[in-house]
Amino acid sequence: FDNNFDINKHDYKEVINFLKVNNIKFVDLHTEFFMKEDEPLNYFAKSDEQDYTHFNELGYKMIANFIFKKTKK
């Protein structure tokens, strides 16, 4: 989820397009949250393979709060 995130590799565009075409409401964490953060990897736990695949405790807390605020509108 850094500036080098390959949206084509992860089918990001296809998923977003599918949601929009089918009028499915969604929260785009990639563009609305992670891309606005200076250090988005701070919200991920680093695995043994040096990958950042899951949120850490702070990540879950911040994302839950972000989604809550977005859906409260």
Side-chain angles (χ1 to χ4, degrees), residues 9-73:
K9 179 180 175 186
H10 299 284
D11 299 320
Y12 173 83
K13 288 181 184 177
E14 290 84 1
V15 171
I16 297 300
N17 185 55
F18 175 85
L19 295 172
K20 288 179 179 179
V21 166
N22 290 286
N23 295 317
I24 299 171
K25 293 182 180 182
F26 64 96
V27 176
D28 185 349
L29 290 175
H30 177 66
T31 57
E32 296 180 49
F33 182 77
F34 291 112
M35 292 302 292
K36 294 180 179 179
E37 292 292 318
D38 291 331
E39 297 291 336
L41 292 180
N42 287 341
Y43 301 111
F44 289 86
K46 195 172 192 179
S47 72
D48 293 335
E49 295 83 32
Q50 304 299 317
D51 291 331
Y52 295 88
T53 56
H54 297 280
F55 304 129
N56 59 25
E57 184 177 350
L58 176 62
Y60 280 113
K61 181 178 180 179
M62 297 297 292
I63 292 165
N65 287 333
F66 181 79
I67 292 171
F68 177 77
K69 290 176 185 176
K70 291 288 292 184
T71 58
K72 193 174 176 183
K73 292 180 181 180

